[in-house]
Amino acid sequence: MREEGPGVLSSSCSTPENTILEVPSTTPDTGGVSGMWLSGREGGGLPWEEISRVLHTDPNLGISSREVLNRRQLVGYNEFSEAVDDPLWKKYLGQFKEPLILLLLASSFVSLCMGQFDDAVVITLAIVIVASVAFIQELRTDKALEELKKQVPATCTCLRDGNIREYQARELVPGDIVHLNIGDRVPADLRLFEALDLSIDESSFTGETEPAPKICSVITTSNYSTSGSMGNLAYMGTFVRTGRGKGIVISTGEKSQFGELFRMMQEEEAPRTPLQKNMDELAKKLSVFSFGFIGIVFILGLYQGIPIHKIFNIAVSLAVAAIPEGLPIVVTMTLCLGIRRMAQRSALVKGLHTVETLGCVTTVCSDKTGTLTKNEMTVTSIATSEGDECRMTGVGYSTDGEVVFEGGYSELANEAVTKLLETGAVCNNAQIIGGQLLGQPTEGAILAAAIKHGVYNARDKYQRLEEIPFKSETKTMSVKVKNKKTGEVEWIVKGAIEAVLRSCTHYHQNMALLPLSQEKQHKILTASLERGRQGLRVIGIARGSSLLELSYMGMLGIMDPPREGARSSVTTLQSTGVRVKMVTGDAQETACAIAQAVGLHVRPGTVFSGEQLDNMDDRVLTGLVSDATVFYRVSPRHKLRIVKALQECGEIVGMTGDGVNDVVALKRANIGISMGKMGSAVSKEAADMILNDDNFTTILSAIEEGKCIFHNISNFVQFQVSTSLVALSLIALSTLFGLPSPLNPMQILLINVIMDGPPALTLGMEPIDDDVKVQPPRDTTKDLITKKLIKNCVISASVIICGTLWVFRSEMSDGVVTARDTTMTFACFVMYDMFNAMSCRSESKSVLEIGITSNWYLFVALTATIVCLLGVVYLPFLQWVFQTEGIHISDWIHLLCLTSTVLLVSEFRKFLDRRHEYSAAVFSSKRFWSSKKSSKSSSWVDEV
């Protein structure tokens, strides 16, 4: 077959010898596989009879079971080829690839070689804990994803061997005859040859809210849909809303329209998360620091005249001790806790590091249909012929909602609304069962509105005598009904407002019939036009004894409205510095109306179509994408370009979507967010996070959680660095200057276990701080260890070092180290770290402001630390192991007063920082208002 242009096929395709689409003999070795599939444009551009001939199938009998087996050997199953899952042992070993883990493994090996078995065991244990926790979390996520996949329907109705029965969708092959009925999900790409009132919901493919009506005739370039859909094809994964149809399978699996998107998704690489990059950078810096520290200690040791082998042992030991083996544990546990908390808030996160990335997101590109909206058409506006204006609350096909009368409630207005909704419910073929719609979304919206207003089973009051279905030519649907109670026969019509008015001669006013004048018609059409500008689909309703003498009853404004809470969530995100952009395949009017409804700023120069993007090169798109707000009529390739352009601008992009048309952009984005209920299986596979409640508001909660996680990790890093700095300084100073060691090896080991253990871990469990929620997204260009963090660590470490050395020196008055000397020093160090842990809970807030017991886990951990310390000091067996002795209560009071100074100094430092920030804010505000006044003055002078 020769293509003469996009979607236009040569007329020579009608003869077998001029086409390459002809199926080879059913014997597998007689031909290639390429002829077994037809692309969408090829299938849509040929008569269905030609498709049947090319694929050697009979629409009345289907293909034989034997033929199915032969074809399956050629084309395989109707499914996407997923990557082979790694065995469990390989997944577990994969946890050891992170640079920081490799650095810890190296330090463990060095410790082992130097005979420091206790350090080697502790570090190795920490690594195993980190790898095991991450591995278990990954298995849990995989299990949750498998549960989501099970929800996808996997059967279809197919004609084979002349018999119609249900088959597995994965067993379909090109040439199969598939029967479609209302409620079915299309199992493969089909060329339709029968379509009876058939309309298919293609929102997951095109972004269009309204179902696409289907036909059987040939589609050419002139009537090819701008949304990317062809009217005579049914696409895999779409949903039958109304009618029934039959089609020939032309493409399966990865050869289908969605299969192309699946291949694009596989070609895209997901970027590393900001936290992973931070941890990689930290590992590099720790490596440089370790080698630099070894060099400095080595030079100082030579200067002191210490033997080279002894200097080397000391330097390497200190360098190994400088690497915080507790950091990976705390980071992993904090991320796992974040995943758990987000699961409780209806968000399933697939990767550990994905959680923290949410706190870095600077731009959210949100799909409209099914994300900002519920993808359920809803009556939002009611106008009766009596002049009553009403709005209806509630979203979708649930019964939650009510009519709100704008001009105040009255019996007359209520009666008019009831009559209008009852009429709309009678001229209706939809059904709502258990909150699920069977039928057209527009009719479902009218039926749901009637139920919300208390109009139940309206159709049961009438006997339907005749029906004239909706046609694009007439733009109306009409039913002839007989009232079962009164016997009255009348016509009820609903449809486009201008089409309904053409058949109306009267209208209802004060429960009486009045002639419909030209002036009244103009008034009704003006009101309809105004609703159309707001993105509403306007439906007029009338009834009467004849189709030529109808009485106008009113109009209903229908749209797929924003979800409840979507506007407040968008506003909150924008207030914290996160840009929100709408990316949809829907029309401009609908897209802009929803964008404004959710609080996006729509103005000239911020709204772009997919066609406009096609006329831009990447450089131009990168220049304008930051200021853009709405992208409409976009394809999957457009979405991918938008994400890449934003990333080129340095943005951390969160992309939401539920359809297969979103998968490529979901994979490319820093955070891909899919819908759990309405999302396709492929979109869930491509996403990093799945919203189990399909609610945009959940994204806000997830971003807040991400900010809190990094905040807690920073607090722990500050505590860990200051603790390590103190330990290193005490040992290095005492060794290099020939002083006795203030702590024995067992005490040092216990400090590492106690202070790198529960208290440090519980710093990662700090509750979400309200001030952290409203902070702007984290600057990912900054390192985990900032200048401010180093300054805070140095201040705290200096206080602890001075206090600990002062205790040790004052106790060791005779120059001999006794059990009491090391006990006092050990207790002093541990208590200093306890107060330091309390001060590290927040970088700027006072402990009193946070609340001493607000982090219950830390409170319990510190209590356990005190019990452990008392046990080491007073229990005989532990006294023997750690070489300690009991001390007097006056010593405890003395240590308590001394060690609390690190908390007092930290509180004073926070006070100065807050005062400095306040002064800077006041100064900035004064400069702003001063510039305002000067600009006003200059403009006044110019006017004069």
Side-chain angles (χ1 to χ4, degrees), residues 795-909:
I795 292 173
S796 299
S798 300
V799 174
I800 297 173
I801 291 169
C802 292
T804 306
L805 286 178
W806 182 78
V807 168
F808 179 64
R809 191 65 184 171
S810 61
E811 289 294 329
M812 195 184 64
S813 57
D814 55 358
V816 178
V817 179
T818 63
R820 173 179 168 80
D821 300 339
T822 57
T823 301
M824 288 290 289
T825 308
F826 172 71
C828 177
F829 190 96
V830 171
M831 292 178 68
Y832 259 129
D833 269 0
M834 289 171 59
F835 282 110
N836 189 31
M838 294 178 66
S839 69
C840 288
R841 292 177 60 193
S842 174
E843 190 180 72
S844 57
K845 282 188 174 183
S846 167
V847 173
L848 297 177
E849 185 180 357
I850 299 172
I852 296 175
T853 59
S854 59
N855 184 349
W856 181 251
Y857 299 103
L858 178 62
F859 182 77
V860 172
L862 293 178
T863 303
T865 302
I866 293 172
V867 172
C868 183
L869 176 59
L870 293 174
V872 170
V873 173
Y874 292 108
L875 293 179
F877 172 73
L878 295 178
Q879 285 178 342
W880 176 76
V881 173
F882 293 98
Q883 300 175 22
T884 58
E885 66 176 36
I887 56 178
H888 196 267
I889 189 170
S890 60
D891 295 323
W892 289 112
I893 295 173
H894 168 67
L895 290 175
L896 182 64
C897 294
L898 176 65
T899 55
S900 62
T901 55
V902 69
L903 180 59
L904 297 176
V905 170
S906 178
E907 292 291 295
F908 182 67
R909 188 260 307 163

Side-chain angles (χ1 to χ4, degrees), residues 402-421:
E402 61 180 357
V403 174
V404 179
F405 295 87
E406 300 289 358
Y409 176 84
S410 69
E411 288 295 335
L412 187 63
N414 184 62
E415 181 65 24
V417 170
T418 301
K419 196 69 176 175
L420 175 64
L421 293 176

Side-chain angles (χ1 to χ4, degrees), residues 44 191-192 195 198 200 202 212-217 219 223-225 229-235:
R191 171 61 166 93
L192 298 171
L198 180 65
I200 297 180
E202 297 179 342
K214 293 299 177 178
I215 58 176
C216 301
S217 56
I219 301 292
N223 56 0
Y224 188 74
S225 170
S229 167
M230 297 189 76
N232 58 7
L233 299 182
Y235 295 98

